[in-house]
Amino acid sequence: MAIIAGAVLLIAVNVIVVSVMVKYGQPESGIEKTALYISAPFQNAFHFVVNGSKNLWRHYFFLVFAARENEQLKKTLQAVREKNRRLAEIELANIRLRRLLEFRETIPYATISAEVVGRDPSRWFKTIVVNKGTGKGVRKGLPVVTPEGIVGQVIECTPGYSKILLAIDQKSAVDAMIQRTRTRGIVEGDPGGGFNFKYVLRKEDVRVGDRVISSGLDGVFPKGFDLGHVSGVVRPTAGMFQVVTVLPSVDFEKVEEVLIISNPPAHAFMEEK
Amino acid sequence: MRFFQTTTVCLFIVIFNTAMVPFLFFPQYVFDPAVPFILFMSLLGSGRRAFGVSAGLGLVMDGFSGAPFGLYTTAYLWMAAAMRQVSTLIRVDQVWMIQLFAGLGVLFEDMVLLGMTALMDPGFRIPPTAAERIGVQMLLAAVLTPFLFSLLYRMVPTWNPSTNESRSRSGTKPWRTTSKG
């Protein structure tokens, strides 16, 4: 009973003291300052340790997980990049094939599409190998074209593959004409990688920039296919012919897909043969 | 095993020449890797193997090339014959010799391809840049052939110590990396 009374009294005194303190403020004394002076460094040290531990966790142990995550993300990025590269390649192939298809629909001949699978091993001769042969109806002598223009002529066939002599090879010759003036000549491959437009008479009007197209008179290449444009004209003081150089419209180093014309127009003189 | 390894190297050379070279920078300056391989086989392999490889590789190259048929085979076989003959007369056991013969081999191959085509086809003109291109090819062949030899030495165990004096007796490399004193 006495304990309960004592406790009630103590609570009452405490409440009264706190009320008085709230009302009149804390009396000035050196105890708090001393306590603060002594305890603050410890609090500071404790705070430093806690914060240090937190930082250690966040910046070191947590980094181990971050590093793992980083590795994972790098792998994902690599896979995405690879996929992106493949998609870009597919997109480019799609553009090329679409152009080839559109071109195929514009020409009035049956064609066989083929992919370039190899090139001439020597650095002096210009041939390519494509993945279509006699098995698909390819035969020796057929003309080969792309949307950009004439590529060359089939010179050898196996059931699965064909070898094509590029128009820029020295052994190649295409009967051609200037589109603007209908001036005729023979386009031959130049050792430098372009064309020489030969046998053009001096009197003929040929200008730099003129388009050169196939004339269709050689019995191999149909008429009207692009060969390139005139890049230089020299009229020597002597001689019958001009020296005309032609820049090919086809980038022969980058040809990847071609069309082989399987039913080129036959000329009367060939039929007679 | 040897046959498989030799065939693999030949196949790689054909693929390199017909499919990979166009994608390299300055493909016109790339020399034919068949030259170091034929030199290697002629120096270190048996005659039968060296001539077999030269003929096989030459026929395949001729099949792919627009050059008159037989030029590659001719060039490779003569190269192999010359190298075997040379190795009986002098000891080809130093790096500079390998480099010299590699350069000469490239020159010989280009001379055969261009020269014989020019002789057979009057309309054929030798490109005006031919000298520069052959020069760079020879230089590259001289620089890279010792490395290719080291690589081939590890890949193709055609070592045959009994066939030539200049060849290794202990399985070590046949050429020295420092010149004789």
Side-chain angles (χ1 to χ4, degrees), chain B residues 107-130:
Chain B
L107 176 68
F108 177 73
E109 184 194 3
D110 284 334
M111 293 288 276
V112 168
L113 288 175
L114 289 176
M116 287 186 79
T117 309
L119 279 175
M120 287 188 282
D121 180 4
F124 183 83
R125 284 167 298 146
I126 293 171
T129 55

Side-chain angles (χ1 to χ4, degrees), chain A residues 194-267:
Chain A
F195 292 132
N196 290 318
F197 192 27
K198 287 183 154 181
Y199 314 115
V200 179
L201 292 171
R202 289 188 73 235
K203 65 173 186 180
E204 300 288 355
D205 173 25
V206 181
R207 295 178 201 161
V208 171
D210 278 347
R211 290 228 76 81
V212 181
I213 57 169
S214 55
S215 69
L217 294 172
D218 52 19
V220 177
F221 296 97
K223 188 177 180 179
F225 281 94
D226 209 356
L227 277 156
H229 66 267
V230 175
S231 58
V233 182
V234 178
R235 288 188 179 84
T237 49
M240 284 174 69
F241 305 113
Q242 305 180 47
V243 179
V244 182
T245 50
V246 176
L247 198 68
S249 53
V250 175
D251 187 348
F252 289 92
E253 296 297 324
K254 292 179 182 167
V255 172
E256 289 179 70
E257 293 94 12
V258 295
L259 288 179
I260 302 166
I261 297 175
S262 57
N263 64 337
H267 287 263

